[in-house]
Amino acid sequence: MTRFRPGAVAAAIALSAGLGGCSHFRNAPLAEKPDLAASLAALKIEPAQAPLPELASHRFDPAHPLDMDEVATVAVVANPDLKAARTALGVARAQAFDAGLLPNPSFSFSYGKLLAGAGMADAVSTGLAENILPLLTLSARRRAAAARERGVRLNLLWQEWQVVAQARSLFVQAVELARQRAVLEQTRRLFAERYRRSRAAMRQGNLTLTVVVSDLAALQGVEAQLHAADEQILKVGHDLDALLGLLPGTRLELRQKLAAPPLDAARLRAMLPTLLPRRPDLLALKAGYAAQQAKLRQAVIEQFPPLAIGGTWAKDTTPVYTLGPNLTIGLPIFNHGQGKVAIARATRRQLRAQYRARLDAALGAAGRLLAEEQLAEAQYRADHRSLARLRQAASVADAAYQAGNLDERGYVDLHSSLLAKELEAIKLEERMLELRTSLQTLIGSALPMRGR
């Protein structure tokens, strides 16, 4: 009578558990305090990590006031949301790794203790089988996982582009708001001096109260604009600190000069059909479509009945020993997998339509922004021509005022008109530069300028 040795089965189970449990758990506690830098010196900036060529090749020098591209580079490297988003790439890589693993075979064992009857031994049966269907779909699953990983990487790149656009926009706002405040402060001083002189003239009986009240109202109006500008400057500063991963209130030295050369609209319009399809968000949609193609192929393959092939060794109570193949197949009577195929095909159609809609919207948005930029640029150039004439008139008025040929009120009114026009030109320049920032984000390339 053959004896069953339970120790051998226990050893086989232990070996299986040991082979499968090769990873270990390690506790990872959450951080208890924010991870914000107190200055740029605390950040490790590598321009080569920047997602756009003009940023990667730009020289980064934190010892001097930062220009627009340097602020964008800091944002890409240090932005807290981007740091969190980059962990999604690790998840996608792990999923791609998991999709490439071969399915495990299954092991079966049964034991029957002989209690009574004509038998001579205990019954034992063991089997080893492999499911064939996961092997057939392995290639499709790998392609789908690789496409999903590529899509996650491209979506991350698109998110980096968005952060670059935010950084550039905040930089423009910060610089232009500082210029606006300087003009408002100059206007305030001019109006304050006019109010002081008109009040003194009223005391001497040379002016009426109506004129003095008008001068006071003008002064208070400018002071209200100054207060609004200070609030906006504070808000933009805090937004920029948050975007760059800096503590609130961190002082940043920004380069105050912004270039605004004429845009070559005709060349840009001709470039749009070739530049837009290279956008990361559109490429990510293409990757998602490729993943869905692979999932559809997988669903078609999975219409074949589930099939497991293996071998079985058995000993009954006689004892009679048997050894032979084992085949298990699912019977496709009620479900032929047609539901999964229909879902996969419908999803593919949906993704194709989404890509077309996004591509059309991208071209429309770029055309709209280009038209708005051209209008803002035309207004900006016209304002500068008017500003040049006003400056020339103010220069003549200064000489006339010094010679006593122009009264103080006419002198102040002319200079207040000049300052208002300067403020208008600054706001138009800010609008034009922000539109260019949005355009640059949409196409992912430096904008073509006339003469370049």
Side-chain angles (χ1 to χ4, degrees):
M1 176 172 160
T2 303
R3 291 182 175 273
F4 166 61
R5 292 178 293 180
V9 177
I13 295 175
L15 177 61
S16 175
L19 290 174
C22 55
S23 296
H24 303 282
F25 172 78
R26 290 181 181 177
N27 190 33
L30 292 171
E32 297 295 334
K33 58 181 182 179
D35 184 26
L36 298 175
S39 67
L40 285 179
L43 299 174
K44 185 179 180 182
I45 306 299
E46 294 291 343
Q49 300 176 7
L52 295 171
E54 63 267 25
L55 299 184
S57 61
H58 190 76
R59 183 173 176 270
F60 182 78
D61 186 5
H64 296 87
L66 303 179
D67 64 16
M68 186 187 295
D69 287 342
E70 287 173 324
V71 169
T73 301
V74 175
V76 169
V77 174
N79 180 259
D81 290 334
L82 281 183
K83 288 181 179 179
R86 289 185 181 108
T87 59
L89 188 55
V91 175
R93 286 171 179 161
Q95 290 172 339
F97 171 74
D98 179 64
L101 297 177
L102 293 172
N104 291 322
S106 60
F107 172 77
S108 61
F109 171 80
S110 65
Y111 169 69
K113 177 69 175 176
L114 178 62
L115 298 178
M120 300 175 59
D122 299 338
V124 179
S125 175
T126 61
L128 187 67
E130 177 68 49
N131 192 352
I132 300 302
L133 197 55
L135 295 176
L136 299 177
T137 61
L138 180 62
S139 177
R141 287 187 285 114
R142 282 177 172 172
R143 283 197 296 270
R148 281 194 298 270
E149 181 187 351
R150 188 165 64 253
V152 170
R153 189 166 59 249
L154 288 164
N155 277 321
L156 174 61
L157 181 59
W158 179 241
Q159 192 171 344
E160 289 176 341
W161 281 25
Q162 303 305 304
V163 169
V164 167
Q166 291 177 45
R168 284 172 168 164
S169 178
L170 288 173
F171 179 91
V172 169
Q173 291 177 46
V175 171
E176 299 293 0
L177 280 170
R179 291 179 61 199
Q180 290 176 36
R181 196 197 185 286
V183 171
L184 287 170
E185 178 58 32
Q186 190 177 354
T187 307
R188 188 199 66 78
R189 288 197 299 267
L190 186 67
F191 282 10
E193 179 62 20
R194 185 174 72 176
Y195 170 66
R196 187 187 68 79
R197 289 178 180 272
S198 62
R199 189 175 58 176
M202 184 187 69
R203 287 173 180 170
Q204 295 171 2
N206 298 326
L207 276 181
T208 63
L209 178 61
T210 304
V211 175
V212 177
V213 169
S214 175
D215 290 345
L216 177 60
L219 174 61
Q220 290 177 337
V222 173
E223 288 177 342
Q225 287 181 278
L226 263 175
H227 295 158
D230 286 336
E231 290 176 4
Q232 194 66 18
I233 288 171
L234 184 65
K235 178 182 180 303
V236 169
H238 281 297
D239 289 346
L240 193 55
D241 287 338
L243 191 71
L244 303 185
L246 298 171
L247 286 170
T250 302
R251 183 178 176 82
L252 289 174
E253 295 292 335
L254 303 179
R255 194 174 298 177
Q256 296 299 309
K257 189 174 181 181
L258 290 173
L263 180 68
D264 192 337
R267 189 148 58 105
L268 177 58
R269 195 172 284 108
M271 294 165 59
L272 288 180
T274 58
L275 287 175
L276 289 176
R278 301 204 308 246
R279 264 176 34 177
D281 61 326
L282 292 170
L283 293 176
L285 286 177
K286 280 187 174 181
Y289 187 77
Q292 187 58 35
Q293 289 267 65
K295 287 183 69 174
L296 176 56
R297 183 181 295 274
Q298 178 183 343
V300 170
I301 295 173
E302 286 177 346
Q303 288 183 110
F304 292 98
L307 176 65
I309 299 176
T312 302
W313 175 89
K315 174 180 71 69
D316 63 13
T317 56
T318 311
V320 173
Y321 294 85
T322 59
L323 176 66
N326 181 27
L327 177 66
T328 304
I329 186 170
L331 299 178
I333 297 175
F334 304 110
N335 186 347
H336 301 273
Q338 65 272 35
K340 288 185 177 180
V341 172
I343 293 172
R345 281 180 175 155
T347 304
R348 185 177 65 172
R349 284 195 298 270
Q350 180 187 22
L351 291 177
R352 186 191 297 119
Q354 286 177 349
Y355 176 78
R356 171 55 61 188
R358 182 76 67 87
L359 184 59
D360 293 345
L363 185 60
R368 176 181 60 81
L369 283 175
L370 183 55
E372 290 180 4
E373 193 281 336
Q374 289 294 280
L375 177 61
E377 184 174 337
Q379 294 172 341
Y380 171 73
R381 306 294 174 200
D383 253 36
H384 263 267
R385 289 191 292 270
S386 299
L387 196 54
R389 291 192 293 268
L390 269 175
R391 284 171 179 162
Q392 186 178 6
S395 178
V396 174
D398 287 346
Y401 180 69
Q402 295 298 327
N405 298 324
L406 181 67
D407 64 6
E408 181 187 346
R409 189 163 192 83
Y411 169 79
V412 171
D413 286 345
L414 181 59
H415 272 275
S416 64
S417 297
L418 174 61
L419 292 172
K421 181 59 74 173
E422 287 183 346
L423 192 63
E424 181 183 339
I426 292 171
K427 290 180 178 179
L428 278 172
E429 183 180 69
E430 179 183 353
R431 170 67 175 160
M432 181 182 66
L433 291 173
E434 287 206 39
L435 285 168
R436 288 185 178 186
T437 295
S438 300
L439 261 175
Q440 195 166 356
T441 304
L442 279 181
I443 66 174
S445 174
L447 299 177
M449 302 298 172
R450 279 183 234 160
R452 292 187 186 177

